[in-house]
Amino acid sequence: MLPLEGDIAVLAEAVDGRDAVAATLAHRPDVLVIDLEMPGLDGLGTVGEVRRRLPEQVVLMLTRHARPGVLRSALKLGVQGLVSKSADPAHIAGVITALHEGRRWIDPDVSAAAVISDSPLTDREVEVLRVTGEGCSVAEIANQLHLAQGTVRNYLSNAMQKAQTGTRHEAARYAREHDWL
């Protein structure tokens, strides 16, 4: 739909996060438009990988849920824009243009959700629960986040206590349901 909204050319599309990293490195778009929720490596992980190789890459992240943790994580990664996936294509095109011109854009509903956050989780606890929610093992989480397995277990244990759950998967589910991720 984006090419119908003006001077936007789609250089590539990706089926998952790893494919998105490869396509971004190969095509070097003016603005990378990335979905937060993708199979395998999610949008935040993808942006992290892209930023390590292309630190100046302009990024617009599309999200279905305006979770406060997502906003914080995205901003820490240097994402310049966050827009609801359900936004009108003309609005998304306008935001892409604004980002290309060097401006930032965060949809008001996304920023409002971040302001009212009551999450007790630390940023690292959010990260390990986010990756846990993707079905990763402790070893996979440690590898993906560049942490020791014992450190991952400590973060998971703390998050489970804060969510008052018995397993890391329950903690991840609870955190998502309460907009902590």
Side-chain angles (χ1 to χ4, degrees):
M1 303 284 291
L2 288 175
L4 301 175
E5 296 298 332
D7 289 337
I8 295 178
V10 176
L11 302 178
E13 293 184 36
V15 296
D16 61 27
R18 293 281 173 220
D19 192 30
V21 171
T24 302
L25 295 175
H27 297 282
R28 309 231 176 188
D30 291 332
V31 178
L32 168 61
V33 179
I34 191 93
D35 190 344
L36 172 66
E37 299 164 2
M38 296 185 296
L41 188 63
D42 72 0
L44 293 171
T46 300
V47 171
E49 287 292 318
V50 167
R51 284 265 179 223
R52 280 190 266 292
R53 297 178 183 137
L54 299 173
E56 302 304 315
Q57 177 64 58
V58 176
V59 179
L60 170 60
M61 184 169 282
L62 304 178
T63 179
R64 185 178 328 160
H65 303 290
R67 295 187 302 265
V70 169
L71 177 61
R72 280 192 305 275
S73 297
L75 292 175
K76 283 182 181 178
L77 286 170
V79 169
Q80 289 89 349
L82 280 115
V83 174
S84 171
K85 221 189 282 194
S86 62
D88 184 82
H91 173 66
I92 295 172
V95 172
I96 291 170
T97 300
L99 297 184
H100 186 276
E101 294 170 351
R103 293 182 282 163
R104 292 181 163 272
W105 182 266
I106 300 173
D107 272 350
D109 60 332
V110 175
S111 59
V115 171
I116 60 172
S117 173
D118 60 349
S119 173
L121 300 175
T122 67
D123 291 339
R124 279 300 204 179
E125 290 164 354
V126 167
E127 284 181 304
V128 296
L129 285 180
R130 179 179 52 79
V131 179
T132 293
E134 297 169 7
C136 294
S137 68
V138 169
E140 292 167 329
I141 296 167
N143 185 44
Q144 187 171 333
L145 297 179
H146 309 289
L147 298 170
Q149 289 184 35
T151 303
V152 169
R153 285 188 196 93
N154 288 339
Y155 286 130
L156 289 170
S157 176
N158 290 341
M160 287 165 48
Q161 287 178 336
K162 291 175 182 179
Q164 299 178 353
T165 59
T167 70
R168 62 190 174 104
H169 296 290
E170 289 172 357
R173 186 171 34 258
Y174 183 90
R176 275 205 173 77
E177 289 170 355
H178 287 82
D179 291 330
W180 295 353
L181 299 185

